[in-house]
Amino acid sequence: MKKIILFSLLLLSFSIVAQEKTRFNKIDSLLTYLNENNKFMGAISLRENGNVIFEKNYGFADVESNILADGNTKYRVGSITKIFTAAIIFQLIEEKKLTLETKLSKFYSEIPNSSAITIDMMLNHKSGIPDYIDSSFDSYKTKPQTKRDMLKRIAALKSTFEPDAKAEYSNSNYLLLGYIIESITGKNYGDNVATRIVGKIGLKNTYYPKKSVPGKDEAFSYSFANSKWKKTPSWDLSVSNAAGALVSTPSDLTDFINALFTGKIVKPTSLAQMTAMQNGYGKGLLQFPFSDKRFLGHNGIIEDFRSVVAYHPSDKMAVSLILNGNNYNENELLIGILSIYYKIPYRFPNLKSVAVDPKLLKSYEGVYSSKQIPLQLTIRVENGQLQGQATGQNSFPLNALSPTEFIFDPAGIEITFKDKGLLLKQGDNKLTFTKE
């Protein structure tokens, strides 16, 4: 009898292992499928209870030099840097070198409303300080900027709203927080990251780069146009600094966020303040709903890099995805990965595509409205491909099945263009839109 029970347990164990392997094989198949169809280049890491369960790199770190990405490839992570910045601010608060009530005017009185703006408001994007990444950003983003240059630029902007009146995302908040960290510690931002976080928890591939152009084992970013990957010019590090300049890997990022949520970087009281949501924002953290779950983390955009790191506290599960080949909606890609991980039915996207005359694509551009639903649908062309965007939602790519038929397969959206309008199908819904 004991032998039968043991044999049954062995079979059960084998079945669980097989299911896990199948699950990760399917995630790998999805990312390989997208990579082979020039929709995605990048890397992924999944971590449970602090242990890596799946990691892989896809595509090239440097297309022109034919250098494939591998486990040593580092990527720019953009605004994920803000989690590091917030964590260091809370370390300084724990060391009683700063408080959440400290006013910005103590450091940079030239910023409008600085005497009413607190560290707390800046962490939560409640300061009203406008985002310096505006219509003028393209004119200087690849050129070195001094701290004085950036402060002068932010000080010249008119406040978006009165401090603490509401919340609105602004990179200016975290650029200034980084300057405050440097002012208090007497060390540059990169050195603070190295000593206070990287060295503290033993990260191996996370740092503030020495040069703005990617160096050895660092990836370039690419957009896809005219049937090939096109390298995107590098921003100068000085324009992003504590708001988005760090380089890392998905493996390091899942290690980092796991350490953050297990008390290895800041105290539990500090973490509780970081994770408390106000007007949709935590302090250095955002929330990402998926199915019936709520992940906490941050996403990032810099050049054509797209990144995300997120953690589910009760599942003790961390995920990080970084794209350096940007030709697919990263949010939809993450939904696919998590759907497979949590064993939720998921259909691979249909990437069948036909070439459509650019003039015809251009003719579809415009704003469309429907009498059946109170939202507008904006259609535009980006890098030779149609993009759709409904009111208040993220944009999504439309794949051409014919000169008039387009799909966004992850959401089951089918669009057929007709005279002066379009027909949108999603599930059992059929909606007629008229071009305004």
Side-chain angles (χ1 to χ4, degrees), residues 12-76:
L12 178 60
S13 176
F14 178 79
S15 175
I16 291 171
V17 170
Q19 289 176 21
E20 291 296 291
K21 186 177 180 180
T22 301
R23 182 170 53 154
F24 299 130
N25 283 347
K26 189 173 181 181
I27 291 174
D28 181 37
S29 295
L30 171 63
L31 297 178
T32 299
Y33 172 58
L34 292 170
N35 173 245
E36 291 176 345
N37 283 276
N38 293 317
K39 294 296 182 182
F40 158 77
M41 293 195 297
I44 184 175
S45 173
L46 299 175
R47 195 179 290 262
E48 288 178 353
N49 294 308
N51 300 311
V52 172
I53 53 173
F54 180 73
E55 283 185 353
K56 193 170 178 181
N57 295 70
Y58 300 82
F60 292 89
D62 186 336
V63 171
E64 293 75 13
S65 299
N66 204 37
I67 299 174
L68 289 168
D70 58 27
N72 294 316
T73 303
K74 292 87 173 172
Y75 304 83
R76 297 195 174 186

Side-chain angles (χ1 to χ4, degrees), residues 82-363:
K82 291 180 173 67
I83 311 179
F84 289 76
T85 302
I88 294 172
I89 287 290
F90 274 99
Q91 288 178 348
L92 294 174
I93 290 172
E94 291 170 3
E95 294 164 14
K96 303 191 183 305
K97 296 175 181 177
L98 195 64
T99 72
L100 288 175
E101 290 71 39
T102 300
K103 300 292 177 60
L104 176 58
S105 56
K106 180 177 178 180
F107 302 95
Y108 302 111
S109 60
E110 65 267 41
I111 305 299
N113 290 330
S114 61
S115 60
I117 294 171
T118 64
I119 298 297
D120 177 273
M121 295 175 197
M122 295 169 71
L123 286 165
N124 272 113
H125 296 286
K126 298 184 298 180
S127 68
I129 302 172
D131 197 334
Y132 68 89
I133 299 183
D134 57 13
S135 58
S136 67
F137 184 65
D138 285 348
S139 67
Y140 67 87
K141 66 185 180 184
T142 60
K143 304 171 185 176
Q145 305 292 310
T146 65
K147 184 183 296 186
R148 184 184 180 93
D149 292 333
M150 296 303 293
L151 286 170
K152 185 177 180 180
R153 187 172 282 114
I154 294 171
L157 299 172
K158 184 179 179 181
S159 297
T160 307
F161 53 86
E162 288 300 307
D164 209 27
K166 60 178 184 177
E168 188 172 302
Y169 192 88
S170 173
N171 286 284
S172 300
N173 289 309
Y174 279 78
L175 191 73
L176 292 170
L177 287 169
Y179 293 162
I180 290 170
I181 289 169
E182 293 178 338
S183 178
I184 291 174
T185 63
K187 298 179 180 179
N188 65 45
Y189 178 74
D191 286 344
N192 273 283
V193 171
T195 56
R196 290 177 169 274
I197 296 179
V198 172
K200 187 172 184 176
I201 62 174
L203 300 181
K204 298 177 181 178
N205 295 299
T206 301
Y207 52 88
Y208 192 104
K210 293 181 179 179
K211 297 181 179 180
S212 293
V213 177
K216 187 177 184 297
D217 291 330
E218 293 178 8
F220 290 88
S221 70
Y222 296 85
S223 61
F224 194 79
N226 300 318
S227 301
K228 65 179 182 179
W229 290 110
K230 180 182 177 182
K231 183 181 289 184
T232 302
S234 299
W235 295 5
D236 194 89
L237 298 173
S238 60
V239 304
S240 48
N241 200 271
L246 292 184
V247 163
S248 189
T249 64
S251 184
D252 262 20
L253 291 177
T254 54
D255 195 3
F256 162 68
I257 202 163
N258 180 76
L260 179 66
F261 277 85
T262 53
K264 297 175 183 177
I265 297 175
V266 298
K267 295 178 180 178
T269 51
S270 296
L271 181 64
Q273 291 175 306
M274 290 180 69
T275 57
M277 293 292 148
Q278 299 178 36
N279 300 314
Y281 297 101
K283 293 178 172 62
L285 293 169
L286 306 174
Q287 57 183 350
F288 303 101
F290 172 76
S291 186
D292 60 345
K293 301 177 183 295
R294 187 186 71 145
F295 283 78
L296 295 167
H298 213 293
N299 61 334
I301 299 175
I302 186 169
E303 299 152 19
D304 263 304
F305 291 98
R306 301 292 186 269
S307 58
V308 65
V309 62
Y311 186 82
H312 194 274
S314 60
D315 291 348
K316 296 181 180 179
M317 187 269 186
V319 56
S320 179
L321 176 71
I322 304 177
L323 286 68
N324 71 309
N326 178 27
N327 191 29
Y328 195 79
N329 185 290
E330 66 274 13
N331 185 55
E332 296 303 327
L333 183 49
L334 187 62
I335 288 173
I337 291 165
L338 291 177
S339 295
I340 296 169
Y341 174 83
Y342 283 108
K343 302 177 183 177
I344 296 171
Y346 174 76
R347 183 179 68 178
F348 277 30
N350 182 350
L351 299 179
K352 175 188 173 185
S353 185
V354 300
V356 180
D357 187 329
K359 291 183 180 179
L360 183 58
L361 288 180
K362 194 71 177 176
S363 72

